[in-house]
Amino acid sequence: RQGYEDFHWQYPAGSYGDDYAYQRHQWQPVTWQGDGDLRQGEPYGKSTNYRDQHYYRGYHPNLATTPLGQDRTHTYDSSKERYVSAAHPEWAGGKPLSNDSGEDSGQPQEPSLLLQYRESGLSSSSHELSQYIHDSADHYDPMLSGTWSLAQVGGPLVSTPAPVVPLKFSLPHMAMCFGAGGQLVLVCPHSPAEGQLAHVELHSLEVILHKTKELEELQAFPGPLAREDLHKVDVITFCQQKIATSCDLSTQRGRDSSLLWKLLVLLCRQNGSMVGSDAAELLMQDGRCQEKYKRQNPAANLIGLTDDELMSRQPGTLDLITGEVPPVVETQAQIVEKFTKLLYYGRKKDALVWAMRNHLWGHALFLSSKMDPRTYSWVLTGFTSTLATNDPLQTLFQLMSGRIPQAALCCGDATWGDWRPHLAVLLSNKVGDRELNHRAIVTMGDTLAGKGAVEAAHFCYLMADIPFGYFGVKGGRMALLGSNHRQAFAQFARTEVIQRTEIFEYCQQLQQPKSFLLPFQVIYKLLYASRLADYGLPAQALQYCEQIATVLLDQEPASHPVLAQQLMKLAERLKLSDPLLLEMPEQDQTLEPDWLVQLRACCQKWEVR
């Protein structure tokens, strides 16, 4: 680096033409030669030597703290003899050892496997590789790592140098892993080489996670719901408990979530069948949606009068047509009597205006229907103008007029009011155009979904029979019941919404036993089975695997190869958790269930194909 001087660069580099393998064989990384350069005696062109010297300098404090130029002879005087004897055994024992080195055979010695990996750059730590690769050139004997002399061993001895990197684990430690059977396996830090007994502990995850929210949520669900011993009363009880415990009725979202659970209860009780009036009754159960909608006076321009004319015709002024002064407060009979008198004189237009101004809409509509269509449309518009904008009657009249109601485009706002009365009107009053009714309900669901009311939107989609889609697909409207499929997957695939979707699938199977939600089988049931295994419920997870396999075998497993393979892997790990194995003879406990054998055969056929 600029501004710093490296003394090693002052040495001339070795010849490029030297034999690389032979020089590497000749080099001894532990030979210390007093206060000379660490790499004296070998060409400087070896970057590996320079790296190993820095390894040595980093892990030997005496070497690291001794300045360059200082005499290291007194520092490593006692160690010099040990290292020299290790590097040049012919000096220590009086005669060289016989070997098959490059000097004897005339060919360069093949470098060790560890050295090849280390020089290739595959690992930054030679010690990490030494934990897995051992050969004759890199063998390490822990008895030779301490201080020793020739007198201790009684003769010449050859040893490899001590490792230049510290041990990965300096102290005994505990190893841990998770078992497929819902167990936590702990290997205690005992050393059998020192006479200690090996100790392995098995702990149940169900016991460890006892009273946690996630485990209680999994245990409370009566799944899988396709088993024969399940009664629908258990499902209804679970839904009612969810309404009581997890739905905050003081918030709009809590009321919408409660509405979805109530819909599932209704479907379960009626074996999956439902008509529009049933859903409308469910929508109107909550007293919060019983709002009062203010009536308005018809606009003056709609009844063909200016503001001055409207003021001149207020009670208490002279009526120029009849010549009478009407009373300040008119009764219903008096209003009808004047409507009749206007017709005596043939003043139909004035009679319509009088009826509209005094809210005799039945008289006005009947009279205008017997006149021309333009007059009828004018009276009808005047009648609808008296209704509040968010009145459900407006929604019904607009739908009956062949238009998408304004409520389907504006619901969900705080100023608009509750969306449920408008949907109840749409569900209970089917118009002649079924496609228009369907589009109005779907539009209302899209509007609610765009404003974050996911549960309310999914209720609309269920009423319109919108199919379930997949996560991440932009064109899909729902993937799991009550969850937004456009958010992160961890937030989307919550346990509660998976359980709610499975209940809806169960309600459909009560009406059609062979029906199922294929997107739900592909991802979420397998994910739910994995969660059961993670929380120490392997037997229940295996039952889910069997159900998914049954659906796939009835279809074509090759259409979902990834699902089939992942399901087979999970089932093979969980197959020994089957409670039926406890009742089998010991010689039959190695048998696999038929569905797993068939699933494996289908996967193998698909791979061959």
Side-chain angles (χ1 to χ4, degrees), residues 381-440:
T381 304
F383 168 67
T384 55
S385 69
T386 62
L387 302 176
T389 308
N390 60 343
D391 196 321
L393 286 178
Q394 286 274 20
T395 303
L396 177 61
F397 294 152
Q398 291 171 5
L399 181 68
M400 296 178 71
S401 300
R403 295 179 291 148
I404 296 293
Q406 190 178 2
L409 302 172
C410 302
C411 62
D413 292 336
T415 57
W416 186 263
D418 199 355
W419 58 274
R420 284 175 288 181
H422 301 276
L423 181 60
V425 165
L426 297 179
L427 293 175
S428 300
N429 301 272
K430 301 290 184 179
V431 297
D433 189 357
R434 296 302 180 104
E435 178 64 23
L436 176 64
N437 195 279
H438 180 269
R439 285 192 292 111

Side-chain angles (χ1 to χ4, degrees), residues 238-275:
F238 175 80
C239 295
Q240 292 173 344
Q241 290 176 352
K242 279 292 184 179
I243 296 174
T245 58
S246 62
C247 298
D248 185 8
L249 299 181
S250 62
T251 62
Q252 183 64 42
R253 184 174 181 180
R255 293 193 294 271
D256 294 343
S257 179
S258 173
L259 185 62
L260 275 182
W261 287 113
K262 290 178 180 179
L263 175 64
L264 295 177
V265 171
L266 178 63
L267 289 173
C268 194
R269 283 176 176 169
Q270 300 184 177
N271 293 330
S273 62
M274 183 184 62
V275 294

